């Protein structure tokens, strides 16, 4: 394969060619938020080893695509969504992690707005949004990958405004609170939560109310990205006490 | 290669074998602290492409070693040190990042006590500790790797006690302060720095003084790992205001 690459200098290729190449995969940890629960998108694996077991969605990195491109392709194939919040997390390289072959796998995690998924998109029928508290056993080291992603999400969500990636563009404060309660698996005091969110001055209150959950209704808010960037430049830190 | 692996089931191997394998490397960002400066261990590359240019130390992941084992091997070969503080940082997978071949590279960064390096160890003669402010241009995307490592170090060192990995086991408070000043490239007020360090109750003051830098001498301290673990369990957070 390397020898055929005409762009490369052949002497260099000889040096590199001494080494063993490895299959490299991307595994995608996809979080969504619905019914007041943090959920993970998992699929039933349809080939061996591990056929019929639950798994993250993944795929192999191709010859002419970057790691990030592979991760985006895999996410798009499953959800029809592009330009999502995605973070590379960790590369898992234990020799026997996949019983099928030596595969080095890089995990990425994404936060998606479940309601944005185009249900007409050919999302594979064996995918399922599973609440993180009810996860079945996952194949290989996928359980460990999810655990690391959750730790990372919890480490970040209180000091960076990434939680908004999981909400619709307009949301109520009770919705935002229930998101944070789902991420941190704890209840927050309503008044303190409102206070710490609003004092950061990052939410624009809209003239609309959501009346689905109460007669009186709850005001809708929108996260102001521009204001956040401006505050960041001034040395401000996002902070929700957890 | 995969077909020869007798431990694997041959039907599985057929599925995996459809995909293109890649060379996978580890590149090692090695930080040390000396002469009041944060330094990076770099080497002069002795093969093409990029022969004679400055580079991180690195190597390819072998067939029968995990990613972490490869990272440890590379670090040991250069410094003779084992069991160091090492963190996997990021996997760089752009198609053309290495002009010699398609190489996917995972960067690891380590914090080492420069004085622990056994100078009898066969450390390659073209390695050099370079102050981070005076770094030459590095090959490929190694400059970007160093930048990410520095950002990570700065993000972590004020909220986790990792700075001690760069100091000898016994150190003075002025030494500790100059380490933090080197990491954050800013000066700290001496009284405030002492106060914020000592109030965490993580340093044991020893009965010895360091008299090298002043007539009166400065007390030596030691970081108390046990106490830190105990405080962590109690919900304490390490914090040095930067």
């Amino acid at each position: 394969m390397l020898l055929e690459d005409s762009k490369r200098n052949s002497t260099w290729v000889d040096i590199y060619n001494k080494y063993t190449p490895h299959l490299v995969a991307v595994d995608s940890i996809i979080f969504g938020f619905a019914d007041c629960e943090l959920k993970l998108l998992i699929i039933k694996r349809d080939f061996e080893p591990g056929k019929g077991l639950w798994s993250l969605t993944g795929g192999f990195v191709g010859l002419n695509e970057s790691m990030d491109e592979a991760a985006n392709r895999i996410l798009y194939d499953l959800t029809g969504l592009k330009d999502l919040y995605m973070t590379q997390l960790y590369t898992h390289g234990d020799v026997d992690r996949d019983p099928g072959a030596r595969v080095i796998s890089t995990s990425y995690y994404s936060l998606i707005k479940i309601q944005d998924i185009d249900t007409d998109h050919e999302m594979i029928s064996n995918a399922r949004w599973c609440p993180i508290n009810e996860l079945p056993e996952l194949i290989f080291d996928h359980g460990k990958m999810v655990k690391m992603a959750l730790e990372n999400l919890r480490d970040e969500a209180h000091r960076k405004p990434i939680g908004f990636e999981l909400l619709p563009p307009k949301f109520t404060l009770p919705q935002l609170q229930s998101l944070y309660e789902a991420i941190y698996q704890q209840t927050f005091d309503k008044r303190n939560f409102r206070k710490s969110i609003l004092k950061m001055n990052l939410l624009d209150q809209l003239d609309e109310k959501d009346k689905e959950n109460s007669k009186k209704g709850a005001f809708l808010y929108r996260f102001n990205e521009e204001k956040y960037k401006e505050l960041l430049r001034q040395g401000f830190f996002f902070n929700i006490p957890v």
Side-chain angles (χ1 to χ4, degrees), chain A:
Chain A
M1 176 265 300
L2 293 175
L3 283 168
E4 285 165 14
D5 192 336
S6 57
K7 283 185 302 183
R8 321 274 191 195
N9 174 315
S10 65
T11 326
W12 304 348
V13 173
D14 284 347
I15 295 173
Y16 285 87
N17 241 353
K18 285 187 305 189
Y19 299 95
T20 312
H22 305 275
L23 289 174
V24 180
V26 164
D27 282 306
S28 194
I29 298 135
I30 308 173
F31 289 121
F33 179 67
D35 317 318
C36 298
E37 285 186 299
L38 187 64
K39 296 185 177 189
L40 179 72
L41 192 58
I42 54 177
I43 58 168
K44 210 164 231 172
R45 188 163 155 114
D46 59 3
F47 61 95
E48 294 289 358
K51 188 171 176 173
L53 301 178
W54 290 101
S55 152
L56 296 171
T57 183
F60 290 98
V61 177
L63 182 59
N64 292 311
E65 66 181 352
S66 73
M67 207 83 182
D68 289 354
E69 283 163 358
N72 278 304
R73 169 178 57 79
I74 288 159
L75 196 59
Y76 178 77
D77 286 350
L78 189 63
T79 64
L81 301 179
K82 281 183 181 180
D83 302 320
L84 294 169
Y85 178 90
M86 190 160 69
T87 303
Q88 190 197 97
L89 206 55
Y90 199 79
T91 296
H92 299 262
D94 282 357
V95 176
D96 289 321
R97 53 169 296 282
D98 182 332
R102 169 84 197 260
V103 180
I104 289 171
S105 178
T106 300
S107 61
Y108 279 77
Y109 88 95
S110 347
L111 304 178
I112 84 175
K113 302 183 200 303
I114 293 186
Q115 65 282 359
D116 281 1
I117 292 183
D118 177 2
T119 45
D120 286 341
H121 182 88
E122 205 186 337
M123 185 171 148
I124 52 170
S125 56
N126 49 357
R128 176 187 157 208
W129 282 106
C130 182
I132 52 157
N133 288 329
E134 299 163 23
L135 286 180
E137 198 175 325
L138 302 177
I139 59 161
F140 309 164
D141 49 5
H142 289 193
K144 189 177 153 198
M145 291 179 180
V146 173
K147 194 167 167 265
M148 287 178 80
L150 271 173
E151 280 167 9
N152 191 285
L153 177 62
R154 286 175 183 147
D155 189 40
E156 302 256 289
H158 69 97
R159 54 195 194 101
K160 288 179 192 166
I162 58 174
F164 303 105
E165 305 287 341
L166 292 159
L167 292 176
K170 301 174 188 178
F171 50 83
T172 66
L173 293 182
Q175 238 178 323
L176 184 62
Q177 179 171 344
S178 77
L179 168 70
Y180 272 84
E181 291 182 341
I183 292 174
Y184 291 99
Q185 300 281 299
Q186 55 177 277
T187 51
F188 295 111
D189 176 75
K190 191 177 154 187
R191 275 180 60 185
N192 287 341
F193 184 83
R194 288 179 80 99
K195 220 168 80 183
S196 57
I197 280 287
L198 293 177
K199 82 165 179 222
M200 286 190 283
N201 245 326
L202 289 172
L203 302 186
D204 294 338
Q205 185 179 322
L206 306 178
D207 280 337
E208 297 167 62
K209 276 188 169 186
D210 167 70
K211 295 203 168 174
E212 261 181 46
N213 297 302
S214 73
K215 219 178 189 173
K216 206 176 127 204
F219 274 109
L220 287 165
Y221 290 80
R222 194 197 305 266
F223 172 64
N224 191 326
E225 180 93 37
E226 288 310 307
K227 215 183 267 177
Y228 175 63
K229 284 184 187 155
E230 179 52 37
L231 287 172
L232 261 190
R233 275 189 290 272
Q234 296 170 19
F236 155 90
F237 289 105
F238 184 86
N239 182 35
I240 294 182
V242 292

